[in-house]
Amino acid sequence: MTTPPSTPAPSSPSSPPCIAVLGSLNMDLVLQVQRAPGAGETVLAQGLHYVPGGKGGNQAVACARQGAQVHLLGRVGNDANGATLRAELERDGIDHSAVLTDPEAPTGLAAITVEASGQNRIVVVPGANARFTLDAPALQSLQALMAQASALVMQLESPMPQVLAAAQCAHSAGRRVVFNPSPIQPLPEALLPLVDVLVVNEVEAAALAGTAVATPAQAAQAAQALRAQGPQQVVVTLGAAGAVAADADGSRYHPGRKVQAVDTTAAGDTFLGALTVALAEGQSLDAAVREGIRASALCVTQAGAQPSIPTRAAVAQSPLPPDWSPL
């Protein structure tokens, strides 16, 4: 298996990997409905829940619950939601000293409808997330963190210029950059060459590769096309169907585990967290993908974003997914 050029920080075999996450923090307003309304239609909800979320927060929690030492960089408002999100991060042992408090903008908010089938629809109000900046002091802190971190994890619920600056910082330090371009948007040409591990779903893969992604074979073609843009390792997640892993050795299809889905919110973030920790511990890409599938399969059986993210112990007790096969 090809090893990315980025080098994890030295650590003893017994010490947990240190992972930095840059990203969003939202309070999720989760509406449970039998089905989502159509245009102009009103439906009744069976319940309303306030749940900690945001892709940055979710991925930080996913890494922490798989045993990593996690440092989160982000921004919340000076409000009750921001205080609640910080308290929840502390419960998972996540260092949030680099999460700044915005004096004007409110904490980010996400309105999520969850259907009885488990499918969700999400609308995000960025709030303070949109005002996150890597100013000179923050950049110095990130540079110091990169001296000990194994990887930097990012998504796109933070401003693109800040994501690019953080990727440049981690790449210059020789650290693995794990990137999930969600929500999908045009990427600057300079970004993907800085990425070591690109994790995309079918929609994101199709948008970035410019090709249909409906089958594992098509996912493999898209993954190899994306590898040509810079990342050495690309993983295309296929929901319940599993995932495709691609690197210099070719492409492999990893079938998913069959479970009864309750809520798919945070499944992708859970997958990425388990994958990142496994890679940071020195596991192969295929072994890391299997851990991601196991963790995300557990995630979708529970409601809510962060409450549904499983611990390492729970993942270790869950069944293994079917064996992977070459494509």
Side-chain angles (χ1 to χ4, degrees):
M1 191 61 58
T2 302
T3 301
S6 299
T7 306
S11 62
S12 66
S14 60
S15 64
C18 176
I19 295 174
V21 179
L22 185 152
S24 59
L25 287 151
N26 296 329
M27 180 60 74
D28 292 349
L29 277 64
V30 182
L31 291 159
Q32 294 177 306
V33 296
Q34 191 64 30
R35 61 175 180 82
E41 181 184 15
T42 299
V43 300
L44 296 178
Q46 285 78 53
L48 169 65
H49 307 280
Y50 293 81
V51 181
K55 294 191 72 64
N58 295 346
Q59 291 172 5
V61 168
C63 290
R65 290 185 186 169
Q66 293 305 306
Q69 177 187 352
V70 180
H71 298 257
L72 179 60
L73 297 88
R75 197 175 185 95
V76 296
N78 185 22
D79 50 29
N81 284 341
T84 298
L85 294 179
R86 286 187 184 275
E88 291 300 316
L89 293 171
E90 288 185 5
R91 290 180 58 178
D92 278 294
I94 296 169
D95 186 327
H96 58 91
S97 58
V99 174
L100 304 180
T101 299
D102 194 298
E104 299 176 7
T107 298
L109 203 66
I112 305 175
T113 59
V114 181
E115 298 179 328
S117 66
Q119 185 59 262
N120 61 46
R121 289 170 172 81
I122 304 173
V123 178
V124 175
V125 182
N129 294 308
R131 290 159 58 97
F132 174 80
T133 57
L134 274 177
D135 55 16
L139 192 57
Q140 289 179 349
S141 296
L142 180 59
Q143 290 170 340
L145 181 56
M146 287 298 97
Q148 58 177 313
S150 299
L152 172 66
V153 172
M154 297 184 298
Q155 351 69 38
L156 288 178
E157 287 187 344
S158 298
M160 184 71 78
Q162 314 311 318
V163 170
L164 179 59
Q168 291 169 333
C169 176
H171 183 77
S172 297
R175 299 303 182 227
R176 179 184 280 117
V177 176
V178 182
F179 179 48
N180 169 221
S182 177
I184 191 64
Q185 56 186 282
L187 304 180
E189 291 184 5
L191 182 53
L192 286 185
L194 303 173
V195 173
D196 297 295
V197 185
L198 179 69
V199 181
V200 289
N201 64 19
E202 311 102 301
V203 175
E204 295 151 2
L208 293 178
T211 182
V213 178
T215 66
Q218 290 175 332
Q221 292 176 346
Q224 293 296 352
L226 292 172
R227 284 192 65 250
Q229 298 182 38
Q232 291 204 10
Q233 297 176 324
V234 176
V235 179
V236 181
T237 59
L238 302 171
V244 168
D247 56 19
D249 294 333
S251 302
R252 282 86 56 201
Y253 170 53
H254 291 257
R257 277 190 56 223
K258 292 184 178 181
V259 297
Q260 181 61 50
V262 172
D263 182 358
T264 57
T265 306
D269 299 328
T270 298
F271 178 96
L272 185 142
L275 173 93
T276 300
V277 173
L279 290 174
E281 292 175 340
Q283 297 188 47
S284 70
L285 178 61
D286 290 304
V289 168
R290 285 168 69 83
E291 288 303 294
I293 289 173
R294 293 174 80 185
S296 58
L298 285 179
C299 172
V300 302
T301 63
Q302 303 294 323
Q306 291 175 21
S308 69
I309 298 173
T311 64
R312 186 180 189 121
V315 174
Q317 294 171 5
S318 67
L320 287 168
D323 291 337
W324 56 265
S325 57
L327 290 170

